[in-house]
């Protein structure tokens, strides 16, 4: 097999695994996002994102559009480009309301529940526009992922 064929097969298998692992509600009608991969454009499910340096892939199990006022949880699954869980990574999560600049950024409660698996608890205090920022650290590398802003109903 040529190097190009092996590389193409690797990306195809990575995409196939991410699609298979993606938890999607049957009612979800969002089209997939086109995400810039390390060397090529790849179409990934809307709940899978590259981190800022394209070192990690993150799958989000909860659609932020379903958040309501109160305590909400979401699970984040972190894998490296070879699709192995990143067991030794640390996660920081902060969230805020961008339309309220005087409101402090709030750290979320994080529980590491397995290799590359994090359960995050948010305390959504009021309805409105919210932003979530994830920061993953491993071996001196820190990468950020700003999730799309979402609106919590009043």
């Amino acid at each position: 097999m040529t190097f190009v064929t092996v590389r193409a097969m690797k990306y195809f298998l990575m995409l196939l695994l991410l699609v298979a692992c993606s938890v999607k509600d049957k009612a979800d009608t969002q089209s997939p996002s086109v995400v810039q991969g390390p060397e090529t454009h790849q179409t990934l499910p809307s709940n899978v994102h590259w981190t800022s340096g394209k070192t990690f892939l993150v799958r989000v199990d909860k659609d932020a559009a379903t958040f309501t006022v109160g305590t909400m949880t979401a699970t984040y699954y972190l894998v490296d480009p070879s699709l192995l869980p990143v067991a030794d990574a640390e996660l920081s999560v902060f969230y805020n309301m961008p339309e309220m600049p005087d409101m402090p950024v709030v750290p979320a409660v994080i529980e590491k529940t397995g290799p590359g698996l994090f359960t995050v608890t948010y305390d959504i205090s009021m309805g409105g526009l919210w932003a979530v920022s994830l920061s993953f650290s491993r071996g001196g590398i820190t990468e950020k992922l700003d999730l799309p802003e979402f609106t919590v109903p009043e």
Side-chain angles (χ1 to χ4, degrees):
M1 244 185 230
T2 67
F3 178 73
V4 174
T5 305
V6 171
R7 179 167 285 182
M9 183 170 278
K10 174 185 170 186
Y11 286 114
F12 173 75
L13 290 174
M14 182 170 67
L15 178 61
L16 185 63
L17 180 63
L18 287 171
V19 170
C21 292
S22 178
V23 178
K24 293 186 69 86
D25 186 356
K26 289 181 184 176
D28 184 11
T29 57
Q30 282 185 311
S31 62
S33 304
V34 175
V35 180
Q36 175 68 33
E39 298 174 12
T40 182
H41 286 285
Q42 299 175 9
T43 303
L44 299 175
S46 61
N47 65 334
V48 176
H49 309 277
W50 284 104
T51 54
S52 58
K54 307 227 183 321
T55 301
F56 307 117
L57 281 164
V58 180
R59 180 171 54 95
V60 182
D61 83 335
K62 178 125 180 131
D63 182 0
T66 64
F67 274 30
T68 58
V69 174
T71 302
M72 301 299 297
T73 60
T75 301
Y76 301 100
Y77 185 60
L78 182 67
V79 296
D80 65 18
S82 63
L83 301 180
L84 295 174
V86 182
D88 57 343
E90 297 298 322
L91 171 64
S92 300
V93 179
F94 295 93
Y95 59 107
N96 69 332
M97 296 185 80
E99 294 177 345
M100 299 183 74
D102 293 336
M103 181 181 185
V105 175
V106 182
V109 177
I110 303 163
E111 179 184 359
K112 192 169 188 175
T113 54
L117 192 61
F118 302 89
T119 300
V120 178
T121 303
Y122 299 93
D123 183 21
I124 305 296
S125 58
M126 65 179 74
L129 185 66
W130 287 86
V132 174
S133 180
L134 309 170
S135 180
F136 294 95
S137 299
R138 172 188 175 197
I141 296 173
T142 298
E143 294 198 8
K144 188 175 176 183
L145 172 61
D146 292 324
L147 295 175
E149 293 179 346
F150 59 95
T151 302
V152 173
E154 299 284 331

